[in-house]
Amino acid sequence: YNYTILWEADSMSRRTDPNSQYKVAIHAINGYRYASTQPFQVDPETGKKVYRRVHWGTVDGSNKFIPGKNYLTAAPEDRGKLIFPDSWDLSEIKKLSGNREKGRPAIESQDENRLYGDIWLLEQIAEVTGIRKDLMKTFHNNEETVNAIMTMAMFLFTGKGTYNQLAAWQRITKAPCDRELTSPYITKFTQSITETDRMNLLKLRAARLGNEELCAVDSTSRSAWGDSLPDIRYGKNKDRLPLPQTTEVVVYTLDQHMPVYYRTLPDNTPDSRSLETILQDLKNAGFKNLVLITDRGYESIRNLEMYIDKKQRMIMGTKTGQAHVRKQIDSFGTFSHHPESMEIDPQERIYFKQFNLEYQIEGKRDNVKQADKLRLNLYFDPVRRSQDLIDLDIAIHAQGAALADIQARKLPLDDDAMICRVYRFYKLDYDAETRILNSYVLDDKKVEKARKEAGFFANTTHGLDIDAMTAQRHYSLRDEQEKYFSMMKGILGADRQRNSSELGKEGRLFVLFVAQIMGCYLANVRKEKLADKYHSIQDVLNEMRPIRFIEHPGTKPFITPFIGKQIEICDAFGFDIPDGCSPEYAVRRTNKGKPGRPRKNRLVVKDS
């Protein structure tokens, strides 16, 4: 007999527990005990389940769970899905500020009397700039992660530089994060901040910009300890330090006075070559309708054609040595005080003239793209011209004296690149082997060119329907960005990169970007309303710092009163003083009765 047995897969096979991927178990590796789960994904091609292991922290010998990087950076809803064994000690989880219930905080620790005034001011700035709200969206409402970032950013304003002292600072300062931020934790935490987090934050900041926002683009060099970072290259920075360094690019909005974009590039990348990366990043982050303002370091024919191809509006500093600029300067001919065809601006006390330029490029499929309102703005400053001519004569005299000394002493010359840079106004004749100088003569063409260009400066605009002086006033605003770099390398102590890993570097730059947003808002308000009383943002923070946050077990915490100049600072920023901290009376007098002690009852004696 032949029998056919039919098996019902649903009834006979073992069913999969849907919560199994959330059950936490110990995964031992090389003597270390990790609390891990094994979530799975279904391969769409094969239909098979693909498992992976996720470590949420470590487990000590007494089964006490210590949260790790994955747990600390996870969203609250993802943490809630985890199923821990009943025998584990989860007391460390209860200490996390992001897991506490909403409402009045429960004071279960010891008595605390910590500084709070400067932190309170920075917290208000974080709210008004929207950076805290954007961070909450970036990290999926993970309050603990946001508090850690805010605490690290606020610590930079102390000027102590390194994060080694952050944990000690938390003991005397009421910071947003209640968890002790030790150096090992900070290293792991900054390494957990990804490029996705950076781009998500930039997209949120881009949504806060208005139409036709003026944005300055510039870069600065930043030295680093160590040489393990991929972007580090040796070079000569402004601080003249013999250290490896990177280039930090920042886009700074001149309307809202704060940074909106940042990126690190190798230091051997010229500004003119970095523009393509910047434009692509701005597009991916959702920045639209920006007016980019760049200095002469970003000027090149390649970048000009890129602006035209992408229809990017811009104001670009232009070198007077460019052929099309020299052509216009030569057209003025010889003049005594100023070119006759140029107009004067009484307010700026300079002469100006605007020229329309025709330029077209070949696009895809043999399409021709015409430049939109491409204009050259040429300016002339008679005072600057006189100073330039004096500097030119001094340079010619100094170079001639140096060459005469070299020839008399028969000293060998430097390399050709150094000669062209140091003795650029002279033609030199020297022996190629010994490099001994035979003779030198003044280069009349270079001198004549320098004399003609003296006092002139220029910029180029594209896609903007503005006159020459409006373009110059917009371009002059980019000097404000230099204060951004000064703040970064000064009060924030970020003149050095003190990390050795690529992940740590990106995370620390993320925190620095958050700190700069708060610092730039603080600096702008100080400049507009408090400049006569406070010379720097550090002075403002120092004035607010003595305000304290006092906590006692079993009682509601309170903030010490705001007095004197602290009230003036709050008024300048438009921030409301916390309840009970203002100088107003907590209990107001009513209109019932008269003030003073009540009258005593009189004993009235009547005559009999």
Side-chain angles (χ1 to χ4, degrees), residues 180-233:
E180 186 180 13
L181 301 181
T182 60
S183 296
Y185 175 85
I186 292 173
T187 299
K188 295 180 180 179
F189 179 78
T190 52
Q191 290 177 354
S192 68
I193 300 176
T194 64
E195 177 69 10
T196 301
D197 298 330
R198 169 183 169 271
M199 290 302 297
N200 288 339
L201 180 61
L202 294 181
K203 290 177 182 178
L204 294 172
R205 302 309 295 176
R208 295 181 178 274
L209 298 185
N211 193 24
E212 296 186 3
E213 194 93 11
L214 295 175
C215 293
V217 182
D218 204 354
S219 64
T220 187
S221 58
R222 196 155 72 103
S223 301
W225 301 116
D227 55 0
S228 59
L229 296 179
D231 289 335
I232 282 183
R233 294 292 183 273

Side-chain angles (χ1 to χ4, degrees), residues 357-413:
L357 302 179
E358 297 293 334
Y359 201 97
Q360 62 183 20
I361 62 173
E362 294 183 4
K364 298 180 180 179
R365 300 179 182 178
D366 298 330
N367 292 331
V368 177
K369 290 187 177 181
Q370 190 74 26
D372 179 26
K373 303 182 185 69
L374 184 63
R375 294 165 182 171
L376 170 66
N377 301 300
L378 192 59
Y379 310 93
F380 178 75
D381 186 351
V383 178
R384 179 175 176 175
R385 177 180 178 84
S386 62
Q387 187 62 49
D388 289 346
L389 293 176
I390 294 174
D391 293 340
L392 176 61
D393 292 338
I394 293 174
I396 293 173
H397 179 270
Q399 293 176 23
L403 290 172
D405 181 66
I406 291 174
Q407 186 179 30
R409 299 169 60 184
K410 295 184 179 181
L411 298 175
L413 294 169

Side-chain angles (χ1 to χ4, degrees), residues 317-330:
T318 306
K319 300 175 184 176
T320 54
Q322 295 287 357
H324 65 287
V325 182
R326 281 295 315 281
K327 179 181 178 181
Q328 301 299 338
I329 295 177
D330 292 340

Side-chain angles (χ1 to χ4, degrees), residues 39 69 82 109 186 190 221 248 270 318 344 372 383 424 432 464 538 542 563 600:
K69 178 178 66 175
L82 298 178
S109 60
I186 292 173
T190 52
S221 58
E248 309 297 333
T318 306
I344 187 172
D372 179 26
V383 178
R424 63 191 187 94
L464 300 174
Q538 188 65 65
N542 289 340
I563 58 176
K600 295 182 179 180

